[in-house]
Amino acid sequence: MTEQTTPEVGARAALGRRTVLATAVGTTLTAVAASTVGATGAAASDATRPRQATGSSKRPRYAMNWTTLGTQAGPISGGTHRAQPANLLHGPGQALLVDAGDGAVDQLAMAGVDLASVGAVLLSHLHIDHTGGLWGVIGRRYQAQIPGEFVVYGPPGTQDTVDGILAGQGPLHDIVQTPAARASRVRTVEITDGSVVTIGDVTVTAAKNSHYELEGDTHSQSLSYRFETPDRTIVFTGDTGPSASVEKLATGADLLVSEITDPDDPTVVAMLQQFPEEVRERLRLHFTEEHLTAQNVGLLAAAAEVKALTLTHIGISDGRLSKARSAIAAQYDGPTRFSRDLDAF
């Protein structure tokens, strides 16, 4: 597996207080075993395998598939049928997490994916609903003594996040002192707007989006990603509002995986009522301008001329999905799907 980064990318390796440097992104990843679940090796039932999103056995076979492990929009969707945001880009010999919301390891198990096959994660930004499961991914790799390097890619600030996780897991590292455990390494690669990273068979291009536009913080970045796989291109918006940079990144993509939010959804409105009025207005602007409404999504997909669209990070109640679908269709006439947990594309 090779790694190339442009422009210059800062990379530091850390494991607690000990620094471990490696000369490659990681060891060759093992193929995903269809009959295993997570590190336990328990059998996966048909009901828990990734669902074919088209509902047809004739779905095209791609070198790399995209699975929506968790499709909830952070805390605002409500209900128990969606997990926190997480995705998997995977094929024979390679598996990459894209965001790691709380419960990501369990969702991998539900999808029948062995944790040992996942060699890297790309974080779109550092909000807790996209990083909360990273503790479990790193800790359970170490606890299971999975050998080799695990690489965490993300925007500036990712190194501090990983350092904090490793520091918090110090007691585990003190107890599990075996050669196999010591061979389980974590490395962080911070990327930024315009970075290009090659991970195995996938080339990833990052673009800064508008999710932090109202913050006025020039150091924080929320990134969207374009994945060039051997036989198709997938673009993941992450969390963003309308953005010319994301539109450019998505141009001509075979599949656009986009977030979607309805600031007028009753669950969103009810959540905002918990906050003082001055905070409520700021959050209202955040949901309106730093996330994508259904109309925004349709405009993005149409302008970028993407071949297909799937929605995740769904901040819309189930009863309002039909209205959102119509709003998208008014702008974009391509195939559109609201994804569910464990859908495969």
Side-chain angles (χ1 to χ4, degrees):
M1 184 179 292
T2 60
E3 173 191 353
Q4 300 171 346
T5 58
T6 59
E8 182 178 357
V9 174
R12 293 179 288 166
L15 183 57
R17 296 182 179 274
R18 302 182 297 280
T19 299
V20 180
L21 297 178
T23 59
V25 167
T27 57
T28 301
L29 300 178
T30 59
V32 175
S35 62
T36 60
V37 175
T40 65
S45 69
D46 289 341
T48 62
R49 297 187 192 283
R51 293 184 287 260
Q52 305 300 316
T54 61
S56 169
S57 61
K58 296 182 179 180
R59 185 177 70 89
R61 294 183 179 274
Y62 296 108
M64 301 288 289
N65 290 297
W66 183 278
T67 297
T68 49
L69 298 174
T71 58
Q72 182 167 306
I76 67 173
S77 298
T80 59
H81 64 297
R82 298 188 188 276
Q84 291 285 291
N87 305 272
L88 188 71
L89 182 61
H90 56 115
Q94 187 168 10
L96 308 173
L97 267 174
V98 183
D99 280 339
D102 192 23
V105 172
D106 295 329
Q107 291 302 102
L108 283 170
M110 291 291 289
V113 176
D114 191 337
L115 182 59
S117 71
V118 182
V121 60
L122 292 103
L123 303 176
S124 63
H125 63 298
L126 301 178
H127 281 163
I128 188 64
D129 53 322
H130 296 257
T131 63
L134 188 57
W135 177 286
V137 172
I138 291 174
R140 287 168 71 167
R141 278 181 57 87
Y142 192 80
Q143 192 174 41
Q145 300 186 32
I146 296 172
E149 187 175 62
F150 181 72
V151 187
V152 182
Y153 297 89
T158 298
Q159 183 70 65
D160 290 340
T161 297
V162 173
D163 286 347
I165 290 172
L166 293 173
Q169 293 181 358
L172 173 62
H173 291 240
D174 292 339
I175 294 171
V176 184
Q177 290 292 331
T178 68
R182 286 192 290 271
S184 183
R185 304 180 299 274
V186 178
R187 183 161 66 94
T188 303
V189 179
E190 291 191 345
I191 55 182
T192 187
D193 183 39
S195 291
V196 179
V197 181
T198 299
I199 310 171
D201 293 333
V202 181
T203 299
V204 186
T205 302
K208 181 181 176 181
N209 60 48
S210 61
H211 188 52
Y212 291 149
E213 200 165 73
L214 298 177
E215 298 288 342
D217 182 355
T218 58
H219 299 290
S220 297
Q221 288 191 17
S222 177
L223 300 175
S224 300
Y225 291 119
R226 182 182 181 97
F227 299 91
E228 304 281 353
T229 77
D231 52 6
R232 64 174 173 162
T233 299
I234 300 172
V235 171
F236 174 64
T237 66
D239 285 11
T240 185
S243 167
S245 295
V246 177
E247 180 183 318
K248 181 179 178 181
L249 188 75
T251 299
D254 296 291
L255 177 65
L256 174 63
V257 183
S258 177
E259 72 124 80
I260 187 168
T261 299
D262 180 357
D264 296 319
D265 191 278
T267 57
V268 177
V269 174
M271 186 196 71
L272 291 178
Q273 294 305 313
Q274 304 174 53
F275 296 94
E277 185 174 351
E278 62 275 14
V279 176
R280 191 184 313 150
E281 180 56 29
R282 167 64 186 80
L283 288 174
R284 169 78 182 177
L285 285 173
H286 171 69
F287 288 124
T288 303
E289 299 183 21
E290 297 181 331
H291 285 283
L292 294 173
T293 64
Q295 181 183 35
N296 293 151
V297 171
L299 289 169
L300 169 61
E305 297 184 337
V306 301
K307 296 179 177 63
L309 169 68
T310 187
L311 290 312
T312 189
H313 196 276
I314 298 171
I316 303 176
S317 301
D318 289 348
R320 295 172 66 93
L321 291 180
S322 294
K323 180 180 178 181
R325 185 184 296 277
S326 297
I328 293 170
Q331 310 296 332
Y332 173 70
D333 60 3
T336 300
R337 181 179 178 89
F338 282 86
S339 60
R340 302 170 298 171
D341 289 4
L342 309 182
D343 273 351
F345 298 86

